[in-house]
Amino acid sequence: MAHSVQAFHTFSLPSQCSQLIEITELEQLQQQSFSRPFCILGEGSNTVFLTDYHGQVIKMATKGITATVREHDYLLEVAAGENWHQLVIYTLEQDMPGLENLALIPGTVGAAPVQNIGAYGVELAKYIDYVEYFDITSKELVRLSNAECQFGYRDSIFKHQLKSHAVITLVGLCLPKQWQPELSYGPLQQLKDITAQNIFAQVIKTRNSKLPNPYVLANAGSFFKNPIISNQQLQSLLQAYPQLPHYVYDNEHHKVAAGWLIEQANLKGYRIAGIAVHQQQALVLVNHGNSVGADLIAMIQHIQQQVWQCYHIRLQHEVRLMSRDGECHIDLEETP
Ligand SMILES: Cc1cc2nc3c(=O)[nH]c(=O)nc-3n(C[C@H](O)[C@H](O)[C@H](O)COP(=O)(O)OP(=O)(O)OC[C@H]3O[C@@H](n4cnc5c(N)ncnc54)[C@H](O)[C@@H]3O)c2cc1C
């Protein structure tokens, strides 16, 4: 029976799926057919349903946090459906610091290892002990060590070999008792009284000043990936745009800031129906309502075309886009 998923993704476009299954007990996973197409969903903060989806949405909503005090650290074993930010609050209340830089990142604990969430100088991988998942083929629970998860920048094995094969059920986090604050990021350097609570409060203040709250103004966070370009292309771009923010990627490539490219292409505030490039942060697209997936596709393509015309750079979306039969990618001049 068709089910609206508008409230199940933070970009909040009107859309329906064929079936919505909410997993609150692990035993339910054993009973699922996983007939394709299916899509695993947390809180939908990195997912946009562009159209009606002709498949099953399997939403992870299992709950539970166990904390074990060990000699040198705290081991937290957290069910996939727990909310990430609430977990950060819980750890600080229990005097187990470490996760404070990752405050206010939307979504579930189960989705966090998928893209190795990160912010303000900290990546989740630093604290992962293990990730447990339900193997859709063998129907068994499998445990991966940190190294086996193959974490990278916004990346892990769950985006590659295990994509659509694994439902993350439990995340084991290890927080050392010897707390070391991470203060390399600008606004945190100015903190005078360095406590985990103060870092947490500063991160929240900074994030709130930069990013719209997705539950107030629908959005899916950073919409585009920071593109990687050759050193040669960077040098020629820097002649025309000396201010272009860039970071070394490897010996031959640099990463450039997608938000800057969009802003300099004069797209801040650009609007198609209710979809707009956010006024404060050009990397974020917002949905003011009265919009459909076609409006968002038109917006993505317009931004990609403008960025291509200005800098000869292809922008790729970071957000997972779902269309009728599954995930889709919108590239320059192409529609799903
Ligand atoms: C305003 C805003 C700010 C953000 N800021 C940041 C930031 O600072 N840093 C950052 O890293 N990200 C950020 N994000 C992105 C987002 O918060 C993360 O990607 C988050 O981990 C998504 O969680 P979710 O539960 O909403 O995932 P969903 O969108 O539901 O799913 C995301 C992906 O994870 C998979 N997935 C979800 N649950 C499971 C599971 N149990 N097992 C297997 N696969 C699963 C899905 O299939 C999908 O591929 C931001 C997003 C928004 C809207």
Side-chain angles (χ1 to χ4, degrees):
M1 203 176 68
H3 196 294
S4 171
V5 286
Q6 186 164 13
F8 292 96
H9 63 132
T10 59
F11 207 80
S12 203
L13 289 173
S15 43
Q16 297 198 329
C17 65
S18 307
Q19 203 185 2
L20 178 86
I21 300 154
E22 201 157 0
I23 304 292
T24 53
E25 303 293 336
L26 285 188
E27 294 70 47
Q28 286 171 267
L29 287 172
Q30 294 283 353
Q31 291 144 23
Q32 293 313 311
S33 62
F34 290 101
S35 53
R36 290 176 194 269
F38 68 84
C39 123
I40 303 157
L41 193 69
E43 291 179 11
S45 64
N46 200 36
T47 302
V48 173
F49 289 94
L50 291 168
T51 58
D52 286 348
Y53 172 56
H54 291 195
Q56 290 181 337
V57 170
I58 298 171
K59 181 172 162 52
M60 284 304 285
T62 50
K63 299 286 179 202
I65 304 176
T66 312
T68 310
V69 184
R70 302 194 295 196
E71 190 182 351
H72 299 296
D73 56 27
Y74 304 102
L75 174 68
L76 287 158
E77 298 177 284
V78 191
E82 290 283 351
N83 174 271
W84 174 261
H85 179 64
Q86 292 306 318
L87 174 68
V88 177
I89 293 174
Y90 168 85
T91 55
L92 294 179
E93 281 172 356
Q94 301 297 314
D95 210 11
M96 297 186 285
L99 303 181
E100 53 283 347
N101 294 52
L102 302 177
L104 218 58
I105 298 181
T108 54
V109 168
V114 175
Q115 69 154 18
N116 182 19
I117 57 167
Y120 300 95
V122 175
E123 282 187 351
L124 176 70
K126 183 177 172 188
Y127 295 110
I128 293 262
D129 187 21
Y130 69 85
V131 175
E132 185 183 270
Y133 69 88
F134 175 81
D135 185 307
I136 287 167
T137 315
S138 71
K139 295 202 173 274
E140 280 173 4
L141 290 175
V142 182
R143 191 173 275 207
L144 294 185
S145 67
N146 183 310
E148 288 169 325
C149 290
Q150 298 174 18
F151 289 118
Y153 176 73
R154 301 291 179 274
D155 204 19
S156 75
I157 193 170
F158 302 102
K159 282 192 161 186
H160 302 283
Q161 290 102 301
L162 291 182
K163 187 171 177 164
S164 301
H165 294 288
V167 184
I168 294 173
T169 50
L170 198 67
V171 177
L173 297 168
C174 185
L175 302 179
K177 286 182 177 171
Q178 187 106 40
W179 176 62
Q180 289 199 318
E182 170 53 61
L183 302 166
S184 58
Y185 185 83
L188 300 179
Q189 286 169 3
Q190 285 134 38
L191 273 182
K192 296 208 168 53
D193 184 11
I194 297 166
T195 64
Q197 280 294 351
N198 285 349
I199 295 175
F200 172 82
Q202 184 63 44
V203 166
I204 289 181
K205 192 173 158 203
T206 310
R207 289 185 71 99
N208 279 337
S209 70
K210 286 186 166 181
L211 288 168
N213 178 342
Y215 300 103
V216 176
L217 177 56
N219 75 84
S222 302
F223 208 92
F224 295 96
K225 293 180 186 167
N226 287 327
I228 293 161
I229 60 172
S230 69
N231 293 346
Q232 199 185 359
Q233 187 176 10
L234 177 70
Q235 287 315 319
S236 62
L237 277 170
L238 282 174
Q239 288 176 9
Y241 305 99
Q243 314 289 332
L244 172 62
H246 55 281
Y247 316 90
V248 174
Y249 181 72
D250 60 24
N251 285 344
E252 280 141 39
H253 298 89
H254 273 75
K255 206 177 245 194
V256 290
W260 191 92
L261 300 175
I262 298 169
E263 182 173 349
Q264 293 302 308
N266 275 328
L267 289 168
K268 253 189 178 176
Y270 183 78
R271 193 166 170 147
I272 296 177
I275 312 284
V277 178
H278 190 48
Q279 284 288 1
Q280 272 79 50
Q281 170 54 271
L283 195 52
V284 175
L285 302 184
V286 295
N287 175 13
H288 292 282
N290 295 321
S291 313
V292 292
D295 302 321
L296 176 59
I297 292 170
M299 174 63 93
I300 295 169
Q301 288 177 326
H302 182 73
I303 292 172
Q304 287 173 329
Q305 281 155 10
Q306 294 301 305
V307 167
W308 176 256
Q309 274 175 21
C310 291
Y311 323 97
H312 259 66
I313 290 179
R314 282 178 188 275
L315 271 194
Q316 292 179 326
H317 50 87
E318 156 106 57
V319 172
R320 174 174 68 157
L321 299 178
M322 301 296 296
S323 63
R324 208 186 85 127
D325 299 313
E327 187 172 352
C328 66
H329 297 274
I330 296 174
D331 295 312
L332 219 54
E333 302 296 341
E334 286 171 11
T335 46

